[in-house]
Amino acid sequence: RDNRYHHIMSICDYIGDGSNLDMVIKMEDLSDKWEEVCDIIGHNLHLPHLNKSQNKQYNISMGDETIIRESYKKDFEYFGYK
């Protein structure tokens, strides 16, 4: 796998079939799943919320949205995003 482009790869392409993973967590679910993560790794760790965005409104053109949806189609389906 060419890791030069891992920051723009879809998660589904990056993790493959997921057979080598214990779990995959959506960022929006991380705080709810953190205790489970700590149990898996055998450590009780604090999860700070750093660099929290104040603005949750994004203005994306229809053309850019189409490119994003097509590029990450497998991720949208896998994670149940609309």
Side-chain angles (χ1 to χ4, degrees):
R1 167 173 44 190
D2 185 348
N3 287 326
R4 291 179 294 170
Y5 303 105
H6 69 274
H7 61 284
I8 59 172
M9 291 176 74
S10 77
I11 291 298
C12 290
D13 289 338
Y14 189 75
I15 65 173
D17 68 2
S19 62
N20 60 334
L21 303 174
D22 290 317
M23 68 172 59
V24 176
I25 303 170
K26 295 181 193 180
M27 286 301 296
E28 60 268 27
D29 296 336
L30 184 57
S31 62
D32 293 335
K33 298 280 189 177
W34 188 246
E35 187 175 330
E36 189 176 346
V37 170
C38 289
D39 288 344
I40 289 170
I41 64 173
H43 295 282
N44 186 13
L45 303 171
H46 173 68
L47 178 65
H49 192 158
L50 304 174
N51 299 320
K52 184 176 181 179
S53 174
Q54 299 301 315
N55 182 4
K56 296 195 180 217
Q57 184 175 3
Y58 302 99
N59 296 316
I60 300 173
S61 73
M62 213 40 164
D64 287 345
E65 182 175 337
T66 300
I67 291 169
I68 292 167
R69 288 189 178 279
E70 283 302 311
S71 298
Y72 299 98
K73 184 176 182 173
K74 288 188 285 186
D75 291 348
F76 276 84
E77 292 170 357
Y78 181 82
F79 289 107
Y81 292 121
K82 303 283 181 211

